[in-house]
Amino acid sequence: MVRLSMRAGRRRWTIGRALLSVVMLTAAGCARDPLAPSIVVFGSYFPAWLLCAGLGIVTTVVARLILVHAGIDEHLPAPLLVYLSLALTTSIVYWFLAFGGAPH
């Protein structure tokens, strides 16, 4: 009987430590930096990453139109994956060009 309660106690301790670790890692992702990159748009602050993502999507749409016009679009092996990768890559390129480094 004593062994069963010790195992249950250890199990609770392990689960508790795992949950605490998850909460701490989640909270570590929250930045308290007041100098987060933002752009003033019509008097209110606009997150810079959202602008870079929007530019990446617009660039991908233009690239898709060019590929469709050239007849290359129909030969892509996985178009969704290709365009998603292109949008992500161009968004990161815009971020590096605008802010000169990795996001904090």
Side-chain angles (χ1 to χ4, degrees):
M1 285 297 199
V2 174
R3 287 187 177 182
L4 289 177
S5 64
M6 287 179 60
R7 286 183 187 167
R10 284 185 192 165
R11 193 173 302 135
R12 274 190 241 129
W13 177 252
T14 305
I15 292 172
R17 288 174 61 187
L19 288 174
L20 181 63
S21 298
V22 168
V23 169
M24 289 175 63
L25 287 173
T26 304
C30 300
R32 297 188 67 192
D33 187 14
L35 302 175
S38 57
I39 301 166
V40 178
V41 178
F42 299 117
S44 65
Y45 291 101
F46 192 72
W49 66 267
L50 198 55
L51 179 67
C52 292
L55 288 172
I57 290 170
V58 169
T59 303
T60 302
V61 168
V62 170
R64 182 181 185 279
L65 292 174
I66 292 171
L67 291 175
V68 167
H69 182 69
I72 299 172
D73 181 64
E74 59 194 33
H75 299 291
L76 294 176
L80 180 64
L81 186 61
V82 170
Y83 293 128
L84 181 64
S85 300
L86 184 61
L88 180 64
T89 302
T90 55
S91 297
I92 292 171
V93 166
Y94 286 132
W95 181 273
F96 278 124
L97 291 175
F99 300 103
H104 320 326

Coordinates of all heavy atoms in Angstrom, one line a residue:
M1 N 0.8 -1.2 0.0 CA 0.0 0.0 0.0 C 0.9 1.3 0.0 O 0.5 2.2 -0.7 CB -0.9 0.0 1.2 CG -2.1 -0.9 1.1 SD -3.1 -0.4 -0.3 CE -4.5 -1.1 0.0
V2 N 1.9 1.2 0.7 CA 2.8 2.4 0.8 C 3.4 2.7 -0.5 O 3.5 3.8 -1.0 CB 3.8 2.2 1.9 CG1 4.8 3.4 1.9 CG2 3.2 2.1 3.3
R3 N 3.8 1.6 -1.2 CA 4.4 1.8 -2.5 C 3.5 2.4 -3.5 O 3.9 3.2 -4.4 CB 4.9 0.4 -3.1 CG 6.2 0.0 -2.4 CD 6.7 -1.2 -3.0 NE 7.9 -1.6 -2.4 CZ 8.6 -2.6 -2.7 NH1 8.3 -3.4 -3.7 NH2 9.7 -2.9 -2.1
L4 N 2.2 2.0 -3.5 CA 1.2 2.6 -4.4 C 1.1 4.1 -4.2 O 1.0 4.9 -5.1 CB -0.1 1.8 -4.3 CG -0.1 0.4 -4.8 CD1 -1.5 -0.2 -4.6 CD2 0.1 0.4 -6.3
S5 N 1.0 4.5 -3.0 CA 0.8 5.9 -2.7 C 2.1 6.7 -3.0 O 2.0 7.8 -3.5 CB 0.4 6.1 -1.2 OG 1.5 5.7 -0.4
M6 N 3.2 6.1 -2.9 CA 4.5 6.8 -3.3 C 4.6 7.0 -4.8 O 5.0 8.0 -5.3 CB 5.7 6.0 -2.7 CG 5.9 6.1 -1.2 SD 7.3 5.2 -0.6 CE 8.6 6.0 -1.5
R7 N 4.1 5.9 -5.5 CA 4.1 6.0 -7.0 C 3.1 7.1 -7.4 O 3.4 7.9 -8.3 CB 3.8 4.7 -7.6 CG 4.9 3.7 -7.5 CD 4.5 2.4 -8.2 NE 5.5 1.4 -8.0 CZ 5.3 0.1 -8.3 NH1 4.1 -0.3 -8.8 NH2 6.3 -0.7 -8.1
A8 N 2.0 7.1 -6.8 CA 1.0 8.2 -7.2 C 1.5 9.5 -6.9 O 1.3 10.5 -7.6 CB -0.3 7.9 -6.5
G9 N 2.2 9.7 -5.7 CA 2.8 11.0 -5.4 C 3.9 11.4 -6.3 O 4.0 12.5 -6.7
R10 N 4.7 10.4 -6.8 CA 5.7 10.7 -7.8 C 5.1 11.1 -9.1 O 5.6 12.1 -9.8 CB 6.6 9.5 -8.0 CG 7.6 9.3 -6.9 CD 8.5 8.2 -7.2 NE 9.3 7.8 -6.1 CZ 10.0 6.7 -6.0 NH1 10.0 5.8 -7.0 NH2 10.7 6.4 -4.9
R11 N 4.0 10.4 -9.4 CA 3.3 10.7 -10.7 C 2.8 12.2 -10.7 O 2.9 12.9 -11.6 CB 2.3 9.7 -11.0 CG 1.7 9.8 -12.4 CD 0.8 8.6 -12.7 NE 1.4 7.3 -12.5 CZ 0.8 6.3 -11.9 NH1 -0.4 6.4 -11.4 NH2 1.4 5.1 -11.8
R12 N 2.1 12.5 -9.5 CA 1.6 13.9 -9.4 C 2.7 14.9 -9.5 O 2.6 15.9 -10.0 CB 0.8 14.0 -8.1 CG -0.6 13.5 -8.3 CD -1.5 13.9 -7.1 NE -1.9 12.6 -6.5 CZ -1.9 12.3 -5.3 NH1 -1.3 13.1 -4.4 NH2 -2.3 11.1 -4.9
W13 N 3.8 14.6 -8.8 CA 4.9 15.5 -8.8 C 5.5 15.7 -10.2 O 5.8 16.8 -10.6 CB 6.0 15.0 -7.9 CG 7.3 15.8 -7.8 CD1 8.5 15.4 -8.3 CD2 7.4 17.1 -7.2 NE1 9.4 16.4 -8.1 CE2 8.8 17.5 -7.4 CE3 6.6 17.9 -6.5 CZ2 9.3 18.7 -7.0 CZ3 7.1 19.1 -6.1 CH2 8.4 19.5 -6.3
T14 N 5.6 14.6 -11.0 CA 6.1 14.7 -12.3 C 5.1 15.5 -13.2 O 5.6 16.3 -14.0 CB 6.3 13.3 -12.9 OG1 7.2 12.5 -12.0 CG2 6.9 13.3 -14.3
I15 N 3.8 15.2 -13.1 CA 2.9 15.9 -13.9 C 2.9 17.4 -13.5 O 2.8 18.3 -14.4 CB 1.4 15.3 -13.7 CG1 1.4 13.9 -14.3 CG2 0.4 16.2 -14.3 CD1 0.2 13.1 -14.1
G16 N 3.0 17.7 -12.2 CA 3.0 19.1 -11.8 C 4.3 19.8 -12.3 O 4.2 21.0 -12.8
R17 N 5.4 19.1 -12.3 CA 6.6 19.8 -12.9 C 6.5 20.0 -14.4 O 6.9 21.0 -14.9 CB 7.8 18.9 -12.6 CG 8.2 18.9 -11.1 CD 9.3 18.0 -10.7 NE 10.5 18.2 -11.5 CZ 11.6 17.4 -11.4 NH1 11.5 16.4 -10.7 NH2 12.6 17.7 -12.1
A18 N 5.9 19.0 -15.1 CA 5.7 19.2 -16.5 C 4.7 20.3 -16.8 O 5.0 21.2 -17.7 CB 5.1 17.9 -17.1
L19 N 3.7 20.5 -16.1 CA 2.7 21.6 -16.3 C 3.4 22.9 -16.0 O 3.2 23.9 -16.7 CB 1.5 21.4 -15.4 CG 0.5 20.3 -15.9 CD1 -0.6 20.2 -14.9 CD2 0.0 20.7 -17.3
L20 N 4.2 23.0 -14.9 CA 4.9 24.2 -14.6 C 5.9 24.6 -15.7 O 6.1 25.7 -16.0 CB 5.6 24.0 -13.2 CG 6.4 25.2 -12.7 CD1 5.5 26.4 -12.5 CD2 7.2 24.8 -11.5
S21 N 6.6 23.6 -16.2 CA 7.5 23.8 -17.3 C 6.8 24.4 -18.5 O 7.3 25.3 -19.2 CB 8.3 22.5 -17.7 OG 9.0 22.1 -16.6
V22 N 5.6 23.8 -18.9 CA 4.9 24.3 -20.0 C 4.4 25.8 -19.8 O 4.6 26.6 -20.7 CB 3.7 23.4 -20.3 CG1 2.7 24.1 -21.3 CG2 4.1 22.1 -20.8
V23 N 4.0 26.1 -18.6 CA 3.5 27.4 -18.3 C 4.7 28.4 -18.3 O 4.6 29.5 -18.9 CB 2.8 27.5 -16.9 CG1 2.6 28.9 -16.4 CG2 1.5 26.7 -16.9
M24 N 5.8 28.0 -17.8 CA 7.0 28.9 -17.8 C 7.5 29.1 -19.2 O 7.9 30.2 -19.6 CB 8.1 28.3 -16.9 CG 7.8 28.4 -15.4 SD 9.0 27.6 -14.4 CE 10.5 28.5 -14.7
L25 N 7.5 28.1 -20.1 CA 8.0 28.3 -21.4 C 7.0 29.1 -22.2 O 7.4 29.9 -23.1 CB 8.1 26.9 -22.1 CG 9.4 26.1 -21.7 CD1 9.3 24.7 -22.3 CD2 10.6 26.8 -22.0
T26 N 5.7 29.0 -21.9 CA 4.7 29.8 -22.6 C 4.9 31.3 -22.2 O 4.8 32.2 -23.0 CB 3.3 29.3 -22.3 OG1 3.2 28.0 -22.6 CG2 2.3 30.1 -23.0
A27 N 5.1 31.5 -20.9 CA 5.2 32.9 -20.4 C 6.6 33.5 -20.9 O 6.7 34.7 -21.0 CB 5.2 32.9 -18.9
A28 N 7.6 32.7 -21.2 CA 8.8 33.2 -21.6 C 8.7 33.8 -23.0 O 9.5 34.6 -23.4 CB 9.9 32.1 -21.6
G29 N 7.7 33.4 -23.8 CA 7.5 33.9 -25.1 C 6.9 35.3 -25.1 O 6.9 36.0 -26.1
C30 N 6.4 35.7 -23.9 CA 5.8 37.1 -23.8 C 6.9 38.1 -23.6 O 7.7 38.0 -22.7 CB 4.8 37.1 -22.6 SG 3.4 35.9 -22.8
A31 N 6.9 39.1 -24.4 CA 7.9 40.1 -24.3 C 7.4 41.3 -23.6 O 6.3 41.8 -23.8 CB 8.4 40.5 -25.7
R32 N 8.2 41.9 -22.7 CA 7.8 43.1 -22.0 C 8.5 44.3 -22.5 O 8.6 45.3 -21.9 CB 8.0 42.9 -20.5 CG 7.2 41.8 -19.9 CD 7.3 41.8 -18.4 NE 6.6 43.0 -17.9 CZ 6.8 43.4 -16.7 NH1 7.5 42.7 -15.8 NH2 6.2 44.5 -16.3
D33 N 9.1 44.1 -23.7 CA 9.9 45.2 -24.3 C 9.0 46.3 -24.8 O 8.2 46.0 -25.7 CB 10.8 44.6 -25.4 CG 11.8 45.6 -26.0 OD1 12.0 46.6 -25.3 OD2 12.3 45.3 -27.0
P34 N 9.1 47.5 -24.3 CA 8.2 48.5 -24.8 C 8.6 49.1 -26.2 O 7.9 49.8 -26.8 CB 8.3 49.6 -23.7 CG 9.7 49.4 -23.1 CD 9.9 47.9 -23.2
L35 N 9.8 48.6 -26.6 CA 10.3 49.1 -27.9 C 10.0 48.1 -29.0 O 10.8 48.0 -29.9 CB 11.8 49.5 -27.8 CG 12.1 50.5 -26.7 CD1 13.6 50.7 -26.6 CD2 11.5 51.8 -27.1
A36 N 9.0 47.4 -29.0 CA 8.6 46.4 -30.0 C 8.4 47.1 -31.3 O 7.8 48.2 -31.3 CB 7.4 45.6 -29.6
P37 N 8.9 46.6 -32.4 CA 8.7 47.3 -33.7 C 7.3 47.6 -34.0 O 6.5 46.6 -34.1 CB 9.4 46.4 -34.7 CG 10.0 45.3 -34.0 CD 9.5 45.4 -32.6
S38 N 6.9 48.8 -34.2 CA 5.6 49.1 -34.6 C 5.7 50.4 -35.5 O 6.6 51.2 -35.4 CB 4.7 49.4 -33.4 OG 5.2 50.4 -32.6
I39 N 4.7 50.5 -36.3 CA 4.6 51.6 -37.3 C 3.3 52.4 -37.0 O 2.3 51.8 -36.8 CB 4.6 51.1 -38.7 CG1 5.9 50.2 -38.9 CG2 4.5 52.2 -39.7 CD1 5.8 49.4 -40.1
V40 N 3.4 53.7 -37.0 CA 2.3 54.6 -36.8 C 1.5 54.7 -38.1 O 2.0 55.1 -39.1 CB 2.7 56.0 -36.3 CG1 1.5 56.8 -36.1 CG2 3.5 55.9 -35.1
V41 N 0.2 54.2 -38.1 CA -0.7 54.3 -39.2 C -1.9 55.0 -38.8 O -2.6 54.5 -37.9 CB -1.0 52.8 -39.7 CG1 -2.0 52.9 -40.9 CG2 0.2 52.1 -40.1
F42 N -2.2 56.1 -39.3 CA -3.3 57.0 -39.0 C -3.4 57.2 -37.5 O -4.5 57.2 -36.9 CB -4.6 56.3 -39.5 CG -4.7 56.2 -41.0 CD1 -4.8 54.9 -41.6 CD2 -4.7 57.3 -41.8 CE1 -4.8 54.8 -42.9 CE2 -4.7 57.2 -43.2 CZ -4.8 55.9 -43.8
G43 N -2.3 57.5 -36.9 CA -2.3 57.8 -35.5 C -2.3 56.7 -34.5 O -2.2 56.9 -33.3
S44 N -2.4 55.5 -34.9 CA -2.3 54.3 -34.0 C -1.2 53.4 -34.4 O -0.8 53.4 -35.5 CB -3.7 53.6 -34.0 OG -3.8 53.0 -35.3
Y45 N -0.7 52.7 -33.4 CA 0.5 51.8 -33.6 C 0.0 50.5 -34.3 O -0.9 49.9 -33.9 CB 1.2 51.5 -32.3 CG 1.9 52.8 -31.7 CD1 1.3 53.5 -30.7 CD2 3.1 53.2 -32.3 CE1 1.9 54.7 -30.2 CE2 3.7 54.3 -31.8 CZ 3.1 55.0 -30.8 OH 3.8 56.2 -30.3
F46 N 0.8 50.1 -35.3 CA 0.4 49.0 -36.1 C 1.6 48.0 -36.0 O 2.8 48.4 -36.2 CB 0.2 49.4 -37.5 CG -0.4 48.4 -38.4 CD1 -1.7 48.1 -38.3 CD2 0.4 47.8 -39.4 CE1 -2.2 47.1 -39.2 CE2 -0.1 46.9 -40.2 CZ -1.5 46.5 -40.1
P47 N 1.4 46.8 -35.6 CA 2.6 45.8 -35.5 C 3.3 45.7 -36.8 O 2.7 45.4 -37.9 CB 2.0 44.5 -35.0 CG 0.5 44.7 -35.0 CD 0.2 46.1 -35.4
A48 N 4.6 45.8 -36.7 CA 5.4 45.7 -37.9 C 5.4 44.3 -38.6 O 5.5 44.2 -39.8 CB 6.9 46.1 -37.6
W49 N 5.3 43.3 -37.8 CA 5.3 41.9 -38.3 C 4.0 41.7 -39.2 O 4.1 41.0 -40.2 CB 5.3 40.9 -37.3 CG 4.1 40.8 -36.4 CD1 4.0 41.4 -35.2 CD2 2.9 40.1 -36.6 NE1 2.7 41.2 -34.7 CE2 2.1 40.4 -35.5 CE3 2.4 39.3 -37.6 CZ2 0.8 39.8 -35.4 CZ3 1.2 38.8 -37.5 CH2 0.4 39.0 -36.4
L50 N 2.9 42.4 -38.9 CA 1.7 42.3 -39.6 C 1.9 43.0 -41.0 O 1.4 42.4 -42.0 CB 0.5 42.9 -38.9 CG -0.9 42.5 -39.3 CD1 -1.0 41.0 -39.3 CD2 -1.9 43.1 -38.3
L51 N 2.6 44.1 -41.0 CA 2.8 44.8 -42.3 C 3.7 43.9 -43.2 O 3.5 43.7 -44.4 CB 3.5 46.1 -42.0 CG 3.9 46.9 -43.3 CD1 2.6 47.4 -44.0 CD2 4.7 48.1 -42.9
C52 N 4.8 43.3 -42.6 CA 5.7 42.4 -43.4 C 4.9 41.2 -43.9 O 5.1 40.8 -45.0 CB 6.9 42.0 -42.5 SG 8.0 43.3 -42.1
A53 N 4.0 40.6 -43.1 CA 3.2 39.5 -43.5 C 2.3 39.9 -44.7 O 2.2 39.1 -45.7 CB 2.4 38.9 -42.4
G54 N 1.7 41.0 -44.6 CA 0.8 41.5 -45.7 C 1.6 41.7 -47.0 O 1.1 41.4 -48.0
L55 N 2.8 42.3 -46.8 CA 3.6 42.5 -48.0 C 4.0 41.2 -48.6 O 4.1 41.1 -49.9 CB 4.8 43.4 -47.7 CG 4.6 44.9 -47.4 CD1 5.8 45.5 -46.9 CD2 4.1 45.5 -48.7
G56 N 4.3 40.2 -47.8 CA 4.7 38.9 -48.3 C 3.5 38.2 -49.0 O 3.7 37.6 -50.1
I57 N 2.3 38.4 -48.5 CA 1.1 37.8 -49.2 C 0.9 38.5 -50.5 O 0.6 37.8 -51.5 CB -0.1 37.9 -48.3 CG1 0.1 36.9 -47.1 CG2 -1.4 37.6 -49.0 CD1 -0.9 37.1 -46.0
V58 N 1.0 39.8 -50.6 CA 0.8 40.6 -51.8 C 1.9 40.2 -52.8 O 1.6 39.9 -54.0 CB 0.9 42.1 -51.6 CG1 0.9 42.9 -52.9 CG2 -0.4 42.5 -50.8
T59 N 3.1 40.0 -52.4 CA 4.2 39.6 -53.3 C 3.9 38.2 -53.8 O 4.2 37.9 -55.0 CB 5.5 39.6 -52.6 OG1 5.8 40.9 -52.0 CG2 6.7 39.2 -53.5
T60 N 3.4 37.3 -53.0 CA 3.1 35.9 -53.4 C 2.0 35.9 -54.4 O 2.0 35.1 -55.4 CB 2.7 35.1 -52.2 OG1 3.8 35.1 -51.3 CG2 2.5 33.7 -52.6
V61 N 1.0 36.8 -54.2 CA -0.2 36.8 -55.2 C 0.4 37.3 -56.6 O 0.0 36.8 -57.6 CB -1.3 37.7 -54.7 CG1 -2.3 38.0 -55.7 CG2 -2.0 37.1 -53.5
V62 N 1.2 38.3 -56.5 CA 1.8 38.8 -57.8 C 2.6 37.7 -58.5 O 2.6 37.5 -59.7 CB 2.6 40.1 -57.5 CG1 3.4 40.5 -58.8 CG2 1.7 41.2 -57.1
A63 N 3.4 37.0 -57.7 CA 4.3 35.9 -58.2 C 3.4 34.8 -58.8 O 3.7 34.3 -59.8 CB 5.2 35.4 -57.1
R64 N 2.3 34.5 -58.1 CA 1.4 33.5 -58.7 C 0.8 33.9 -60.0 O 0.7 33.1 -60.9 CB 0.3 33.2 -57.7 CG -0.6 32.1 -58.2 CD -1.8 31.8 -57.2 NE -2.5 30.7 -57.7 CZ -3.5 30.7 -58.7 NH1 -3.8 31.9 -59.2 NH2 -4.1 29.6 -59.0
L65 N 0.4 35.2 -60.1 CA -0.2 35.7 -61.4 C 0.9 35.6 -62.5 O 0.5 35.2 -63.6 CB -0.6 37.1 -61.2 CG -1.9 37.3 -60.3 CD1 -2.1 38.8 -60.1 CD2 -3.1 36.6 -60.8
I66 N 2.1 35.9 -62.2 CA 3.2 35.8 -63.2 C 3.4 34.3 -63.5 O 3.5 34.0 -64.7 CB 4.5 36.4 -62.6 CG1 4.3 37.9 -62.5 CG2 5.7 36.0 -63.5 CD1 5.4 38.6 -61.8
L67 N 3.4 33.4 -62.6 CA 3.6 32.0 -62.9 C 2.4 31.4 -63.6 O 2.6 30.5 -64.5 CB 3.8 31.2 -61.6 CG 5.1 31.4 -60.8 CD1 5.1 30.7 -59.5 CD2 6.3 31.0 -61.7
V68 N 1.2 31.8 -63.4 CA 0.0 31.4 -64.1 C 0.1 31.9 -65.6 O -0.2 31.1 -66.5 CB -1.3 31.8 -63.4 CG1 -2.5 31.7 -64.4 CG2 -1.5 31.1 -62.1
H69 N 0.5 33.1 -65.7 CA 0.6 33.7 -67.1 C 1.7 33.0 -67.9 O 1.5 32.8 -69.1 CB 0.9 35.2 -67.0 CG 1.0 35.8 -68.3 ND1 -0.2 36.0 -69.1 CD2 2.0 36.4 -69.0 CE1 0.2 36.6 -70.2 NE2 1.5 36.9 -70.2
A70 N 2.8 32.6 -67.2 CA 3.9 31.9 -67.9 C 3.6 30.4 -68.1 O 4.3 29.7 -68.8 CB 5.1 32.0 -67.1
G71 N 2.5 29.9 -67.4 CA 2.2 28.4 -67.6 C 3.0 27.5 -66.7 O 3.0 26.3 -66.9
I72 N 3.6 28.1 -65.7 CA 4.4 27.2 -64.8 C 3.6 26.7 -63.6 O 3.9 25.7 -63.0 CB 5.6 28.1 -64.3 CG1 6.5 28.5 -65.5 CG2 6.4 27.3 -63.3 CD1 7.6 29.4 -65.1
D73 N 2.5 27.4 -63.3 CA 1.7 27.1 -62.1 C 1.2 25.7 -62.2 O 1.1 25.0 -61.2 CB 0.6 28.1 -62.0 CG -0.3 27.8 -60.8 OD1 0.2 27.9 -59.7 OD2 -1.5 27.5 -61.0
E74 N 0.8 25.2 -63.3 CA 0.2 23.9 -63.4 C 1.2 22.8 -63.3 O 0.8 21.6 -63.1 CB -0.6 23.8 -64.8 CG 0.3 24.0 -66.0 CD -0.4 24.2 -67.2 OE1 -1.5 24.8 -67.2 OE2 0.1 23.7 -68.3
H75 N 2.5 23.1 -63.3 CA 3.5 22.1 -63.2 C 4.1 22.0 -61.8 O 5.0 21.2 -61.5 CB 4.6 22.3 -64.2 CG 4.1 22.3 -65.6 ND1 3.7 21.1 -66.2 CD2 4.0 23.2 -66.5 CE1 3.3 21.3 -67.4 NE2 3.5 22.6 -67.7
L76 N 3.6 22.8 -60.9 CA 4.2 22.8 -59.5 C 3.7 21.5 -58.8 O 2.5 21.1 -58.9 CB 3.7 24.0 -58.7 CG 4.2 25.4 -59.2 CD1 3.6 26.5 -58.4 CD2 5.7 25.4 -59.1
P77 N 4.6 20.9 -58.1 CA 4.2 19.6 -57.4 C 3.2 19.8 -56.3 O 2.3 19.0 -56.1 CB 5.5 19.1 -56.9 CG 6.4 20.2 -56.8 CD 6.0 21.2 -57.8
A78 N 3.3 20.8 -55.5 CA 2.4 21.0 -54.4 C 2.2 22.6 -54.3 O 2.9 23.2 -53.5 CB 3.0 20.5 -53.1
P79 N 1.3 23.1 -55.1 CA 1.2 24.6 -55.2 C 0.9 25.2 -53.8 O 1.5 26.3 -53.5 CB 0.0 24.8 -56.1 CG -0.2 23.5 -56.8 CD 0.3 22.4 -55.9
L80 N 0.1 24.6 -53.0 CA -0.2 25.3 -51.7 C 1.1 25.4 -50.9 O 1.3 26.5 -50.3 CB -1.2 24.4 -50.9 CG -1.6 25.0 -49.5 CD1 -2.3 26.3 -49.7 CD2 -2.5 24.0 -48.8
L81 N 1.9 24.4 -50.8 CA 3.1 24.4 -50.1 C 4.1 25.4 -50.7 O 4.8 26.1 -50.0 CB 3.7 23.0 -50.0 CG 5.0 22.9 -49.1 CD1 4.6 23.2 -47.7 CD2 5.5 21.4 -49.2
V82 N 4.2 25.4 -52.0 CA 5.1 26.4 -52.7 C 4.7 27.8 -52.4 O 5.5 28.6 -52.0 CB 5.1 26.1 -54.2 CG1 5.8 27.2 -55.0 CG2 5.7 24.8 -54.5
Y83 N 3.4 28.1 -52.5 CA 3.0 29.5 -52.3 C 3.1 29.9 -50.8 O 3.4 31.0 -50.5 CB 1.6 29.7 -52.8 CG 1.5 29.7 -54.3 CD1 0.6 28.8 -55.0 CD2 2.4 30.4 -55.1 CE1 0.6 28.8 -56.4 CE2 2.4 30.3 -56.5 CZ 1.5 29.5 -57.1 OH 1.5 29.4 -58.5
L84 N 2.8 29.0 -49.9 CA 3.0 29.2 -48.5 C 4.4 29.5 -48.1 O 4.7 30.5 -47.4 CB 2.5 28.1 -47.6 CG 2.5 28.2 -46.1 CD1 1.6 29.3 -45.7 CD2 2.1 26.9 -45.5
S85 N 5.3 28.7 -48.7 CA 6.8 28.9 -48.5 C 7.2 30.3 -49.1 O 8.0 31.0 -48.5 CB 7.6 27.8 -49.1 OG 7.2 26.6 -48.5
L86 N 6.7 30.6 -50.2 CA 7.0 31.9 -50.9 C 6.6 33.0 -50.0 O 7.3 34.0 -49.8 CB 6.5 31.9 -52.3 CG 6.8 33.2 -53.1 CD1 8.3 33.3 -53.3 CD2 6.1 33.1 -54.4
A87 N 5.4 33.0 -49.5 CA 4.8 34.0 -48.6 C 5.7 34.2 -47.4 O 6.0 35.3 -47.0 CB 3.4 33.8 -48.3
L88 N 6.0 33.1 -46.7 CA 6.8 33.1 -45.5 C 8.2 33.7 -45.8 O 8.7 34.6 -45.1 CB 6.9 31.7 -44.9 CG 7.7 31.6 -43.6 CD1 7.1 32.4 -42.5 CD2 7.9 30.2 -43.2
T89 N 8.8 33.2 -46.9 CA 10.2 33.7 -47.2 C 10.2 35.2 -47.6 O 11.0 35.9 -47.1 CB 10.7 32.9 -48.5 OG1 10.7 31.5 -48.1 CG2 12.1 33.3 -48.8
T90 N 9.2 35.6 -48.3 CA 9.2 37.1 -48.7 C 8.9 37.9 -47.5 O 9.4 39.0 -47.3 CB 8.2 37.4 -49.8 OG1 6.9 36.9 -49.5 CG2 8.7 36.7 -51.1
S91 N 8.0 37.4 -46.6 CA 7.8 38.2 -45.3 C 9.0 38.3 -44.5 O 9.3 39.4 -43.9 CB 6.7 37.5 -44.5 OG 5.5 37.4 -45.2
I92 N 9.8 37.3 -44.4 CA 11.0 37.3 -43.6 C 12.0 38.3 -44.3 O 12.8 39.0 -43.6 CB 11.6 35.9 -43.4 CG1 10.7 35.1 -42.5 CG2 13.0 36.0 -42.8 CD1 11.0 33.7 -42.3
V93 N 12.1 38.2 -45.6 CA 13.0 39.1 -46.3 C 12.6 40.6 -46.1 O 13.5 41.4 -45.9 CB 13.0 38.8 -47.9 CG1 13.7 39.9 -48.7 CG2 13.7 37.5 -48.1
Y94 N 11.3 40.9 -46.2 CA 10.9 42.2 -45.9 C 11.2 42.6 -44.4 O 11.6 43.8 -44.2 CB 9.4 42.4 -46.1 CG 9.0 42.4 -47.5 CD1 7.9 41.6 -48.0 CD2 9.6 43.3 -48.4 CE1 7.6 41.7 -49.4 CE2 9.3 43.3 -49.8 CZ 8.2 42.5 -50.2 OH 7.9 42.6 -51.5
W95 N 11.1 41.7 -43.5 CA 11.5 42.0 -42.1 C 12.9 42.4 -42.0 O 13.3 43.4 -41.4 CB 11.1 40.8 -41.2 CG 11.5 41.1 -39.8 CD1 12.7 40.9 -39.2 CD2 10.6 41.7 -38.8 NE1 12.6 41.3 -37.9 CE2 11.3 41.8 -37.6 CE3 9.3 42.1 -38.8 CZ2 10.8 42.3 -36.4 CZ3 8.7 42.6 -37.6 CH2 9.5 42.7 -36.5
F96 N 13.8 41.6 -42.6 CA 15.2 41.8 -42.6 C 15.6 43.2 -43.3 O 16.4 43.9 -42.8 CB 16.0 40.7 -43.2 CG 16.3 39.5 -42.3 CD1 15.9 38.3 -42.7 CD2 16.8 39.7 -41.1 CE1 16.1 37.2 -41.9 CE2 17.0 38.6 -40.2 CZ 16.6 37.4 -40.6
L97 N 14.9 43.4 -44.4 CA 15.2 44.7 -45.1 C 14.7 45.9 -44.3 O 15.4 47.0 -44.2 CB 14.5 44.7 -46.4 CG 15.1 43.7 -47.5 CD1 14.3 43.8 -48.8 CD2 16.6 44.1 -47.8
A98 N 13.6 45.8 -43.6 CA 13.0 46.9 -42.9 C 13.7 47.1 -41.5 O 13.9 48.3 -41.1 CB 11.5 46.8 -42.7
F99 N 14.0 46.0 -40.8 CA 14.4 46.2 -39.4 C 15.8 45.7 -39.2 O 16.3 45.7 -38.1 CB 13.4 45.5 -38.5 CG 12.1 46.1 -38.6 CD1 11.1 45.4 -39.3 CD2 11.8 47.3 -38.0 CE1 9.8 46.0 -39.4 CE2 10.5 47.9 -38.2 CZ 9.5 47.2 -38.9
G100 N 16.5 45.1 -40.2 CA 17.9 44.7 -40.1 C 18.2 43.6 -39.1 O 19.3 43.6 -38.6
G101 N 17.4 42.7 -38.9 CA 17.8 41.6 -38.0 C 16.6 40.7 -37.7 O 15.5 40.9 -38.2
A102 N 16.9 39.7 -36.9 CA 15.9 38.7 -36.5 C 14.9 39.4 -35.5 O 15.3 40.3 -34.7 CB 16.5 37.5 -35.8
P103 N 13.6 39.0 -35.6 CA 12.6 39.6 -34.6 C 13.0 39.2 -33.2 O 13.5 38.1 -32.9 CB 11.3 38.9 -35.0 CG 11.6 38.0 -36.1 CD 13.0 38.1 -36.5
H104 N 12.8 40.1 -32.3 CA 13.1 39.8 -30.9 C 12.0 39.0 -30.2 O 11.0 39.4 -30.1 CB 13.3 41.1 -30.1 CG 14.0 42.2 -30.8 ND1 15.0 42.1 -31.7 CD2 13.8 43.5 -30.7 CE1 15.4 43.2 -32.1 NE2 14.7 44.1 -31.5

